[in-house]
Amino acid sequence: MQFDDDARLDTSEVQDVRGSRIPGGKATIGGGIGGLIVLLLGLFLGVGPDQLGLTDGGGQPAATASGLAEVERSCRTGQDANTRDDCRTVAVVNSVQDYWDQEFQRRGATYTRSSTILFGERIGTACGSATSAVGPFYCPGDRKVYLDLGFFDELRSKFGASGGPFAQAYVVAHEYGHHVQDLMGTLSRSQDGRTGADSNAVKVELQADCYAGVWARHATTTKDESTGRPLITSLTDADITDGLDAAAAVGDDRIQERFQGRVTPESWTHGSAAQRQQWFREGYRSGEMERCDTFR
């Protein structure tokens, strides 16, 4: 996965609050075993931590000047995105949102851009307070994506994924799939309280995987506004394999087998490894939103 070295990154779409503190109260999630249990429940849930019972009413942390300056200072061009995880995240956010903006326009609709918040350890959101143990998530309350970059290391070390730049891109694109669902009114279908292999919660997650695949199909042809050229210049079969591997690593069955020693489909909230790969592959193969109807 390569970015156009000369492209200018739009850092306004990513807010860096790493090192900031949550004003008022403490987060209710700890690390260790407790954090791991939370991770099993909340990974890629697509909704805020309040719906996991993890909120303490803490507010949104104020971004430190040093944190904002780090991304703004260091992540200026596509060349930076080719060498740094935080800059790569900025570039992927830019590319994903450029695609959805253009796709919504093509459909006669308006895409509302969403910020990604980079945080460390804990964060306050409109959906409640959380720690990085929850994993990446989208909060419909403020329509923002929350990501601790340390998760990319855990994706390899805890979940056995092969990793790689596109595995990281898949994570970001999946969360923006939830934002698309929110704008289209389908995200709320996951909030009926049901779990299981055929639940709406699983169908919402699989659709977000499919939307990530749709973006990937168009990633190297979606033009960047600053240059008129695609921000992503190269996406190889090996990159897609890394994305599929990441999708499988966070399948409910793989996670349950790894951490509890048995598979319990009745408690699934995200779908099996095979399902997650199937729907990402369907989005990538077709490149069409219409093929992502996991509710049919």
Side-chain angles (χ1 to χ4, degrees):
M1 182 180 189
Q2 291 290 315
F3 299 90
D4 178 0
D5 283 344
D6 297 325
R8 295 190 301 274
L9 302 185
D10 183 0
T11 56
S12 70
E13 294 187 341
V14 176
Q15 185 179 8
D16 190 347
V17 297
R18 292 172 290 180
S20 299
R21 294 181 179 178
I22 298 177
K26 62 183 185 303
T28 58
I29 319 167
I33 297 300
L36 182 58
I37 293 172
V38 168
L39 187 59
L40 296 180
L41 293 173
L43 185 68
F44 291 177
L45 191 69
V47 295
D50 59 329
Q51 288 148 312
L52 291 175
L54 305 178
T55 180
D56 68 348
Q60 178 86 3
T64 62
S66 60
L68 290 173
E70 176 63 23
V71 165
E72 186 175 355
R73 180 178 62 251
S74 302
C75 302
R76 295 183 175 181
T77 68
Q79 185 175 20
D80 299 322
N82 284 321
T83 58
R84 291 176 55 122
D85 283 352
D86 51 359
C87 300
R88 182 181 301 115
T89 298
V90 173
V92 172
V93 169
N94 291 169
S95 174
V96 168
Q97 299 212 96
D98 283 345
Y99 170 71
W100 288 116
D101 188 42
Q102 293 167 27
E103 178 63 15
F104 271 54
Q105 286 186 39
R106 189 180 71 82
R107 295 168 176 272
T110 300
Y111 175 78
T112 302
R113 293 195 173 233
S114 166
S115 297
T116 285
I117 311 298
L118 301 182
F119 72 98
E121 297 185 2
R122 58 186 61 205
I123 188 73
T125 80
C127 296
S129 300
T131 73
S132 55
V134 178
F137 64 92
Y138 172 77
C139 173
D142 54 26
R143 287 185 164 174
K144 294 179 180 178
V145 171
Y146 291 87
L147 172 64
D148 184 335
L149 293 175
F151 174 76
F152 295 144
D153 292 329
E154 293 184 345
L155 192 57
R156 295 190 301 271
S157 63
K158 285 187 178 180
F159 297 96
S162 58
F166 190 76
Q168 299 174 12
Y170 156 74
V171 171
V172 174
H174 173 99
E175 296 306 331
Y176 274 93
H178 288 311
H179 180 55
V180 170
Q181 291 171 323
D182 195 15
L183 294 176
M184 298 182 68
T186 54
L187 182 61
S188 61
R189 297 179 70 169
S190 66
Q191 305 310 304
D192 59 7
R194 293 179 58 245
T195 61
D198 195 44
S199 67
N200 282 341
V202 167
K203 292 174 181 178
V204 162
E205 292 299 326
L206 296 179
Q207 187 176 64
D209 282 335
C210 188
Y211 285 164
V214 169
W215 160 74
R217 166 53 61 189
H218 299 282
T220 58
T221 57
T222 298
K223 293 182 179 179
D224 176 63
E225 292 182 359
S226 69
T227 64
R229 302 188 302 271
L231 177 56
I232 297 176
T233 59
S234 174
L235 197 60
T236 67
D237 289 344
D239 291 321
I240 298 304
T241 297
D242 284 343
L244 287 166
D245 185 69
V250 292
D252 282 321
D253 52 342
R254 292 275 186 93
I255 292 175
Q256 289 177 341
E257 181 66 34
R258 178 179 290 265
F259 294 109
Q260 68 183 27
R262 66 186 188 283
V263 176
T264 53
E266 64 274 11
S267 65
W268 286 2
T269 57
H270 296 78
S272 69
Q275 286 176 312
R276 301 199 72 163
Q277 288 188 321
Q278 171 195 341
W279 282 103
F280 176 85
R281 189 181 287 112
E282 175 62 24
Y284 182 70
R285 185 195 64 79
S286 69
E288 299 176 1
M289 288 183 70
E290 291 83 358
R291 300 301 296 268
C292 295
D293 184 8
T294 56
F295 295 92
R296 65 175 183 267

